[in-house]
Amino acid sequence: EIASCLVGSEMCIRDSYSNRQGLVDGAAGVAAPILNADGQPVAAVNLAGPRDRVVAQLGALTATAIQTVARIREELLRRNRT
């Protein structure tokens, strides 16, 4: 389950997202890595907010982070081909 995912766990690495209580009390977020052509992380997209809102919209936020990363990666790969 996404809500129980911890940074660095096998599920997060496989599914390319993360979700956890942050350093700010009452805040939470979802993040997804931006990988280069070699599959190495070079940046990340992070969506954060009040924990209650993030938990309530976790599926949508996770999908948004993953879709955004996919579009960024496609653009980076396109630019590297030219």
Side-chain angles (χ1 to χ4, degrees), residues 59-71:
L61 290 171
T62 300
T64 297
I66 292 170
Q67 291 166 359
T68 301
V69 163
R71 288 194 303 268

Side-chain angles (χ1 to χ4, degrees), residues 6 11 14-15 24 27-29 35 39 41 64 69 74 80:
L6 296 175
M11 186 172 76
R14 183 188 70 234
D15 296 336
V24 177
L35 307 176
T64 297
V69 163
E74 287 172 11
N80 286 334

Side-chain angles (χ1 to χ4, degrees), residues 26 28 49-57:
R51 182 168 172 70
D52 292 344
R53 289 186 191 174
V54 170
V55 170
Q57 296 295 320

Side-chain angles (χ1 to χ4, degrees), residues 28-44:
V30 174
I34 298 171
L35 307 176
N36 65 16
D38 297 324
Q40 298 299 310
V42 294

